[in-house]
């Protein structure tokens, strides 16, 4: 009776272990798929951020050009109010001053464009990193096989189930003991190994 209880307990333990292994592998797979989706969403957001930053750069450049024109217009009016000719070409003080305003304004635009482009590149690099993370999480998810995890658990428990049934007792009349692949005859003063 004790042998049957031990065997049933071992079988139940193997079944519970297999179910647990299946559920654990399924949970790991679900978690990896979730993390993959989050990383893919983050990659999409990062790319959208890069696009938005570049759009902001265009607006900022347009606004800066308008400020340059306004500054040049105000400078021309002040110069003209002071009696300087502002429409003279060449190296007059007024024309050089207006050129300086335009050059400084263009330099500011180039610096602004560079700063915005750096921000956009940072966002794009984040997107690439998130996409790489998504790929890794996808690999982790595909590496999980709940069915194989359960089968592996059952196979590792097979020895416990077998042990629960105990060893087959020796036959008293022949002195033979079954030991797996071969049978040994134990007798008198020595040991002979025979076929299965």
């Amino acid at each position: 009776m004790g042998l049957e209880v031990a065997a049933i307990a071992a079988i139940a333990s193997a079944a519970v272990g297999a179910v647990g292994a299946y559920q654990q592998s399924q949970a790991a797979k679900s978690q990896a798929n979730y993390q993959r989706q989050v990383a893919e969403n983050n990659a999409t957001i990062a790319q959208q951020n890069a696009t938005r930053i570049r759009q902001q750069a265009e607006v900022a450049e347009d606004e800066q050009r308008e400020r340059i024109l306004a500054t040049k217009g105000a400078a021309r009016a002040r110069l003209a109010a002071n009696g300087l000719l502002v429409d003279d070409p060449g190296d007059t003080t007024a024309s050089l001053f207006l050129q300086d305003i335009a050059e400084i304004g263009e330099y500011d635009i180039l610096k602004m464009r560079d700063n915005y482009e750096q921000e956009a590149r940072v966002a794009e690099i984040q997107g690439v990193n998130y996409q790489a993370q998504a790929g890794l999480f996808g690999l982790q998810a595909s590496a999980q096989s709940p069915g194989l995890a359960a089968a592996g658990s059952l196979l590792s428990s097979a020895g416990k189930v077998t042990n629960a049934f105990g060893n087959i007792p020796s036959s008293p009349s022949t002195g033979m003991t079954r030991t797996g692949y071969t049978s040994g005859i134990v007798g008198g003063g020595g040991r002979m190994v025979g076929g299965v």
Side-chain angles (χ1 to χ4, degrees):
M1 183 67 169
L3 181 64
E4 291 173 357
V5 171
I8 291 170
I11 291 170
S13 174
V16 168
V19 169
Y22 180 90
Q23 289 175 338
Q24 185 177 7
S25 181
Q26 186 65 41
K29 184 173 190 158
S30 295
Q31 178 68 16
N33 278 326
Y34 172 77
Q35 289 173 322
R36 177 187 54 80
Q37 188 61 52
V38 168
E40 286 176 353
N41 290 344
N42 287 339
T44 299
I45 291 168
Q47 186 55 52
Q48 290 170 345
N49 287 342
T51 301
R52 182 184 49 80
I53 289 167
R54 288 194 174 101
Q55 290 169 345
Q56 289 174 339
E58 290 176 14
V59 170
E61 282 185 36
D62 291 342
E63 290 173 349
Q64 181 65 12
R65 287 189 196 287
E66 289 174 10
R67 282 191 291 273
I68 293 167
L69 289 175
T71 302
K72 282 176 70 176
R76 286 172 65 89
R78 187 168 290 248
L79 290 169
N82 287 325
L84 296 171
L85 296 174
V86 292
D87 293 329
D88 281 346
D91 294 339
T92 64
T93 302
S95 65
L96 291 175
F97 182 66
L98 293 174
Q99 285 176 8
D100 285 347
I101 291 173
E103 287 174 5
I104 290 169
E106 284 300 317
Y107 177 73
D108 287 344
I109 287 172
L110 291 174
K111 284 196 314 185
M112 183 186 307
R113 184 182 299 163
D114 186 55
N115 289 339
Y116 276 107
E117 186 57 30
Q118 285 179 11
E119 286 182 46
R121 289 293 299 146
V122 166
E124 285 178 337
I125 289 168
Q126 285 178 337
V128 168
N129 288 339
Y130 284 130
Q131 201 59 50
Q133 285 180 350
L136 288 175
F137 288 132
L139 288 174
Q140 287 177 3
S142 65
Q144 290 294 330
S145 177
L148 283 178
S153 177
L154 284 174
L155 287 174
S156 67
S157 299
K160 294 176 186 174
V161 172
T162 302
N163 287 338
F165 285 104
N167 291 329
I168 298 172
S170 298
S171 171
S173 60
T174 62
M176 294 182 68
T177 304
R178 287 228 175 250
T179 59
Y181 296 109
T182 61
S183 298
I185 299 177
V186 180
R191 181 170 183 241
M192 287 179 43
V193 178
V196 179

